[in-house]
Amino acid sequence: MTMMEKVIAASTASSNGRFFTVWLVMSWYSSNIGVLLLNKYLLSNYGFKYPIFLTMCHMTACSVFSYVAVAVMKITPMQTVSSRIQFYKIATLSFVFCGSVVSGNVSLRYLPVSFNQAIGATTPFFTAMFSYIMTVRRESWITYVTLIPVVTGVFIASGGEPSFHLFGFIMCISATAARALKSVVQGILLSSDGEKLDSMNLLLYMSPIAVVILLPTTIIMERNVIGLMMELTNKDIKLIFYLLFNSSLAYFVNLTNFLVTKHTSALTLQVLGNAKGAVAVVVSILLFRNPVSLVGMLGYSLTVIGVILYSESKKRSN
């Protein structure tokens, strides 16, 4: 192979690599925003008022697809649970994760996606708080200062939100706090080299445990869900398609998240995540036509700026 051919081959490989990365990012954006909007449509607009059952459907799909992806397709090497203690740690994470997803789905019944995303952007605040409480790890003073606009922005957005609902707000804050708690607990529980699992293997083990937790919870708290679901299906068979597609999309979010991190970096994923929230807000407003106020948008913008400053501060301190 001549030097020119080698240059052309390298250029083609680089171009294909960039194209694949862009495709991954677009897929991650589409699945992330898609599952959020479809959850909102099902739980609020469509009238399927069973967030716990919907979460159980998501976890069931994640259980099946995770096994296929890891054990059959070998997307990532399969890691085994080495001890009973490690299993208990994973079960603890699964419980916290269930609380996060269920609370988030409940909040979508009462809040527009735009406000939901504004509250969700405060995750760094709760992460810093739980990290300090549980590990006594202090960040630099400038990092804590950057959290002020994060929290202030949500207060401003709440005051200017036309569709504010107190219970939905509490559920969304709970979901955001639980999401942050899960990341901190994961860092504590699975910190040793022998216990670390990549995100796909962790999902493989967490999902079935989540189904076991959510099944009795659904039976107790949404006891008439099967009968009413059959009644809704008789009226509109598309409900089955919505649930299957929505559940598959929930797994695809985790898969693309893992692949984007693998082919870029965790920092890139964080930056893309900040932009994803803004895109989700715009798309949801266009689709659902929920009213927004200038004060609310200013509050959300302040929160996003705070999150960006927080990310930059963390990057510099590390």
Side-chain angles (χ1 to χ4, degrees):
M1 183 181 288
T2 66
M3 180 63 71
M4 182 60 72
E5 289 174 332
K6 289 181 179 179
V7 171
I8 293 173
S11 176
T12 302
S14 176
S15 177
N16 290 338
R18 282 195 297 270
F19 177 79
F20 180 67
T21 302
V22 170
W23 179 82
L24 278 179
V25 172
M26 295 300 294
S27 298
W28 180 61
Y29 264 49
S30 301
S31 58
N32 232 301
I33 296 172
V35 76
L36 181 67
L37 297 178
L38 193 50
N39 283 349
K40 174 64 178 176
Y41 174 73
L42 285 170
L43 294 168
S44 184
N45 297 60
Y46 189 82
F48 186 79
K49 301 176 180 179
Y50 307 104
I52 302 175
F53 179 78
L54 182 62
T55 306
M56 190 179 74
C57 290
H58 290 177
M59 292 299 99
T60 302
C62 286
S63 299
V64 175
F65 290 135
S66 291
Y67 181 80
V68 173
V70 177
V72 180
M73 297 177 66
K74 312 290 185 183
I75 287 178
T76 184
M78 189 169 188
Q79 299 169 282
T80 57
V81 176
S82 57
S83 66
R84 183 176 297 179
I85 294 175
Q86 187 183 13
F87 173 78
Y88 290 148
K89 291 177 179 179
I90 294 171
T92 301
L93 285 174
S94 186
F95 182 80
V96 177
F97 181 64
C98 283
S100 170
V101 179
V102 170
S103 298
N105 284 340
V106 170
S107 73
L108 285 172
R109 282 188 58 190
Y110 304 97
L111 300 178
V113 173
S114 54
F115 189 43
N116 180 281
Q117 288 294 287
I119 299 170
T122 60
T123 301
F125 168 76
F126 290 103
T127 302
M129 182 179 71
F130 286 127
S131 180
Y132 178 74
I133 293 172
M134 301 179 73
T135 66
V136 200
R137 177 188 172 186
R138 293 186 178 183
E139 304 289 351
S140 64
W141 67 270
I142 192 66
T143 300
Y144 289 118
V145 169
T146 62
L147 293 173
I148 295 174
V150 172
V151 177
T152 304
V154 169
F155 276 112
I156 294 172
S158 301
E161 175 54 49
S163 306
F164 182 85
H165 189 285
L166 181 58
F167 179 70
F169 176 78
I170 293 171
M171 285 293 99
C172 197
I173 286 287
S174 300
T176 305
R179 190 159 53 244
L181 178 62
K182 185 248 177 189
S183 66
V184 174
V185 171
Q186 182 176 331
I188 296 171
L189 296 185
L190 303 178
S191 57
S192 67
D193 291 336
E195 291 184 332
K196 284 182 180 177
L197 299 173
D198 65 46
S199 59
M200 296 311 296
N201 275 278
L202 185 59
L203 186 67
L204 171 66
Y205 294 114
M206 280 176 52
S207 301
I209 298 173
V211 173
V212 172
I213 294 171
L214 291 168
L215 180 59
T217 307
T218 302
I219 292 171
I220 294 170
M221 300 187 69
E222 299 176 344
R223 61 184 67 184
N224 57 347
V225 62
I226 300 299
L228 289 176
M229 194 178 82
M230 292 177 65
E231 186 179 321
L232 285 171
T233 303
N234 289 333
K235 294 179 181 178
D236 186 4
I237 194 65
K238 291 197 295 293
L239 175 62
I240 298 297
F241 168 77
Y242 289 148
L243 289 175
L244 289 174
F245 179 69
N246 182 249
S247 300
S248 302
L249 208 57
Y251 171 74
F252 199 62
V253 169
N254 291 280
L255 176 62
T256 52
N257 187 298
F258 170 75
L259 292 175
V260 169
T261 306
K262 182 179 179 181
H263 288 272
T264 57
S265 67
L267 180 62
T268 302
L269 188 75
Q270 193 174 42
V271 173
L272 291 171
N274 294 335
K276 184 246 335 163
V279 174
V281 167
V282 173
V283 173
S284 70
I285 291 172
L286 293 175
L287 281 178
F288 297 113
R289 306 287 182 181
N290 56 279
V292 292
S293 67
L294 179 61
V295 173
M297 293 309 296
L298 286 174
Y300 176 63
S301 300
L302 181 60
T303 295
V304 171
I305 291 170
V307 171
I308 294 171
L309 294 174
Y310 173 83
S311 301
E312 281 296 311
S313 174
K314 288 280 289 182
K315 183 173 69 173
R316 291 174 185 276
S317 63
N318 292 335

